[in-house]
Amino acid sequence: LLSFRYIPPLIWGKSGHIQTALYGKMGRVRSPHPYGLRKYLTMPDGATATFDLFEPRSEHCTGEDVTMVICPGIANHSEKQYIRTFVDYAQKNGYRCAVLNHLGALPNIELTSPRMFTYGCTWEFGAMVNYIKKTYPQTQLVVVGFSLGGNIVCKYLGESQANQERVLCCVSVCQGYSALRAQETFMQWDHCRRFYNFLMADNMKKIILSHR
C-alpha cells in the first residue's frame, strides 16, 4: 500500500480547503451517534473534568480487554463528528473508548475553577487514565491524541514512567510540534493560513467569552 500512488477523488478530494469546509460544516452524510456515559472527576483545584466512556460492541480480536484513551483536538470534545466516527469504528472492533472533554469546551458544562484547557496541561487526561486503570484493572491501554491532543498525550507519557504502565502504544494524529513556529506560519497569507488562524482564534474567543 505504501508504494501505491494516491489519486484523490475529483472535486472535493483535490483540495484540502474544500475537505475542511465540507467536513467542518456538514460532516458525514450519516454520522454515527455512539452511546456513552459521561463521567465527572473533581480536580484538586476544584475544576470539574469530564470524559465520556463507551463500551465495546464486540470482542477484541486478541480476546483481551483493551481501552483507547482519547484526547481530542483544540477546543474539541466527545460530541464532535470526527470523534464520534472514530469511537464508533473502535467500538465495532472491540475497543472500549474513553474520550476526554477539554475543560471549558462543552457548552453545557460550566467551569468550577478559574481555568480552562491549555496546550501543556495534562491533569485532566491523567485523571481520566487513572480512573480507567482503577475501574478496569485488567485492561491494556492504547493512547490516542488528535492535533493538540497529540501534544498532551505525548507530554503525559513523558512526564513519568509510571504513566506508561499498561500502555501498549501511543498514536499521535496530526500533532503540531512547536506552537511558536506554528504561530509564525499561521501569520502568512499563502495557502489561506492567516484565514485559518483567524477562524481558530475566533473559536477560542467564543469559548473564553462563554465562561466570563
Side-chain angles (χ1 to χ4, degrees), residues 74-75 104-105 111 116-117 119 195-212:
I74 188 170
L111 294 177
M116 54 181 285
F117 72 92
Y119 272 91
F195 177 67
Y196 285 108
N197 188 50
F198 170 81
L199 292 177
M200 289 190 295
D202 188 61
N203 188 39
M204 289 297 298
K205 285 167 61 179
K206 288 178 180 177
I207 293 177
I208 294 171
L209 291 174
S210 70
H211 294 291
R212 60 183 170 181

Side-chain angles (χ1 to χ4, degrees), residues 61-82:
C61 63
T62 63
E64 298 181 357
D65 187 307
V66 185
T67 302
M68 285 190 179
V69 282
I70 303 166
C71 191
I74 188 170
N76 287 176
H77 44 73
S78 62
E79 297 176 8
K80 292 294 183 178
Q81 290 178 339
Y82 76 97

Side-chain angles (χ1 to χ4, degrees), residues 42-77:
T42 302
M43 305 300 293
D45 66 343
T48 302
T50 67
F51 70 93
D52 286 23
L53 188 62
F54 304 87
E55 291 296 334
R57 304 216 304 263
S58 64
E59 185 177 350
H60 193 269
C61 63
T62 63
E64 298 181 357
D65 187 307
V66 185
T67 302
M68 285 190 179
V69 282
I70 303 166
C71 191
I74 188 170
N76 287 176
H77 44 73

Side-chain angles (χ1 to χ4, degrees), residues 71-75 102 117-120 145-153 173-176:
C71 191
I74 188 170
H102 284 302
F117 72 92
T118 68
Y119 272 91
F146 293 90
S147 190
L148 163 72
N151 291 77
I152 291 177
V153 299
V173 185
C174 297
Q175 175 184 344

Side-chain angles (χ1 to χ4, degrees), residues 169-209:
C169 67
C170 173
V171 183
S172 174
V173 185
C174 297
Q175 175 184 344
Y177 291 96
S178 173
L180 291 177
R181 290 182 64 183
Q183 181 183 11
E184 298 175 3
T185 302
F186 274 117
M187 292 304 290
Q188 300 170 4
W189 283 106
D190 54 318
H191 301 292
C192 301
R193 290 170 180 163
R194 197 155 188 163
F195 177 67
Y196 285 108
N197 188 50
F198 170 81
L199 292 177
M200 289 190 295
D202 188 61
N203 188 39
M204 289 297 298
K205 285 167 61 179
K206 288 178 180 177
I207 293 177
I208 294 171
L209 291 174

Side-chain angles (χ1 to χ4, degrees), residues 86-101:
F86 181 78
V87 167
D88 179 71
Y89 185 79
Q91 283 182 295
K92 291 177 180 177
N93 285 273
Y95 292 92
R96 180 186 299 107
C97 294
V99 183
L100 180 70
N101 299 310

